[in-house]
Amino acid sequence: MTSLCDHKLSEDVASASTTSEAAHVNEKLTIAQLARIERNRQKALLLRQSRLANQSLSDPKMKVGCKRVVDSGAGFLIEEDGNKAPKKLKIVEEAPPALYVDDDEVSVCDECEKVFVESYLLTHYNYPTCDGCRDTEGKHSLITKTEAKTSYLLSDVDLLIREPPLKFVIRKNPRNDFWGDMKLFLRLQIEKRALEVWETPEKLEEEKDDREEKREIAKRKKYRKNMTKLRQEVNTFVCLFCVYSDDAII
């Protein structure tokens, strides 16, 4: 009985000493330090709760009681059977829908005789030739409006008014930006229009020769006229000089 009382007395003394030590420590801490300790403890609790919440959201599979469930993402949980292996989803690849092209939108290349839908010559000049067969330096070269009028003796009416009007592309003049824009026609279409106007290449050459001859005749006439005018001016000057010189001698 005495030993039991001694043991209880020792426990009371130890608890009293612990309480006195805690009270002594609290007496040493200021009010600001105690407030900071409390704030840190609250932050630690909030951080722990947020980590637990993120862990539960990131893992769709969780255990509720003794059952394993999967988060469906639609607001409810689905029980998962642990004995069955998860089913593999079968991916079905569907073929892309076929592109429907109207027969009127399909053209046949004059060179390779292949079917095509769009090309540079077809878009800008309505000429059925695919981009692979386009010869920019030879057969499908472009020609300016001035050269077409000079080399093929075509007028603005022949180019832009006669049916069907010829298509052209407008480009900046490479020689000088301040000059007017160039109108580029397709040489093949210009040659075809020249045959429509002059019927045969021989007639076109004859017309070019006739115009060249008339141009030379006009140049010679202009030259003679200028020479006659110059002689008259010289003779008039000589006559006036003689008159003034005679008056001076008298």
Side-chain angles (χ1 to χ4, degrees), residues 2-162:
T2 304
S3 61
L4 182 62
C5 291
D6 295 337
H7 179 68
K8 186 174 182 181
L9 180 63
S10 63
E11 287 181 354
D12 293 339
V13 172
S15 61
S17 63
T18 303
T19 303
S20 63
E21 289 177 359
H24 182 67
V25 170
N26 290 334
E27 288 177 358
K28 291 183 179 181
L29 294 176
T30 63
I31 298 175
Q33 290 175 341
L34 292 174
R36 185 168 63 252
I37 292 172
E38 182 63 21
R39 286 197 301 270
N40 292 335
R41 188 178 69 84
Q42 294 293 336
K43 289 181 181 179
L45 290 175
L46 292 175
L47 181 62
R48 181 172 178 275
Q49 291 176 1
S50 63
R51 287 179 179 176
L52 292 175
N54 292 332
Q55 184 177 1
S56 62
L57 291 175
S58 61
D59 188 7
K61 294 183 179 181
M62 60 191 77
K63 289 185 178 181
V64 178
C66 297
K67 296 181 180 180
R68 189 176 181 84
V69 296
V70 179
D71 187 4
S72 65
F76 56 90
L77 302 176
I78 302 175
E79 294 183 4
E80 184 182 30
D81 190 354
N83 298 326
K84 294 183 179 180
K87 294 182 179 180
K88 294 183 178 181
L89 297 177
K90 184 178 180 181
I91 301 175
V92 179
E93 296 182 358
E94 296 182 359
L99 180 63
Y100 175 76
V101 180
D102 193 1
D103 294 339
D104 296 337
E105 298 178 358
V106 176
S107 301
V108 179
C109 179
D110 288 347
E111 302 295 331
C112 62
E113 297 183 353
K114 293 182 179 179
V115 177
F116 69 97
V117 178
E118 186 179 3
S119 70
Y120 179 85
L121 294 178
L122 183 64
T123 302
H124 293 88
Y125 295 101
N126 198 22
Y127 191 80
T129 299
C130 63
D131 291 333
C133 298
R134 180 187 172 195
D135 184 9
T136 57
E137 299 296 332
K139 186 176 181 180
H140 304 114
S141 61
L142 304 180
I143 182 174
T144 62
K145 180 181 177 181
T146 303
E147 186 180 355
K149 296 172 69 174
T150 304
S151 301
Y152 296 93
L153 306 180
L154 298 175
S155 62
D156 292 337
V157 176
D158 298 328
L159 296 174
L160 305 176
I161 298 179
R162 182 190 288 265

Side-chain angles (χ1 to χ4, degrees), residues 165-226:
L166 299 182
K167 291 189 174 183
F168 57 88
V169 176
I170 297 177
R171 292 287 184 271
K172 290 289 185 182
N173 197 312
R175 297 181 180 179
N176 194 333
D177 294 337
F178 296 100
W179 293 354
D181 296 337
M182 299 187 305
K183 293 182 179 180
L184 300 178
F185 294 85
L186 186 62
R187 186 178 293 274
L188 282 175
Q189 295 178 343
I190 292 294
E191 293 176 352
K192 183 179 178 181
R193 181 56 53 88
L195 290 178
E196 293 176 0
V197 174
W198 301 107
E199 296 181 358
T200 60
E202 290 76 13
K203 290 184 178 181
L204 174 61
E205 292 299 327
E206 291 177 2
E207 182 65 24
K208 290 173 70 175
D209 294 339
D210 292 341
R211 293 190 181 187
E212 185 66 26
E213 185 177 355
K214 291 178 181 179
R215 194 178 297 110
E216 290 296 330
I217 293 172
K219 286 182 180 180
R220 287 195 294 268
K221 287 183 178 180
K222 185 177 182 180
Y223 174 76
R224 293 194 188 99
K225 183 178 180 180
N226 291 334

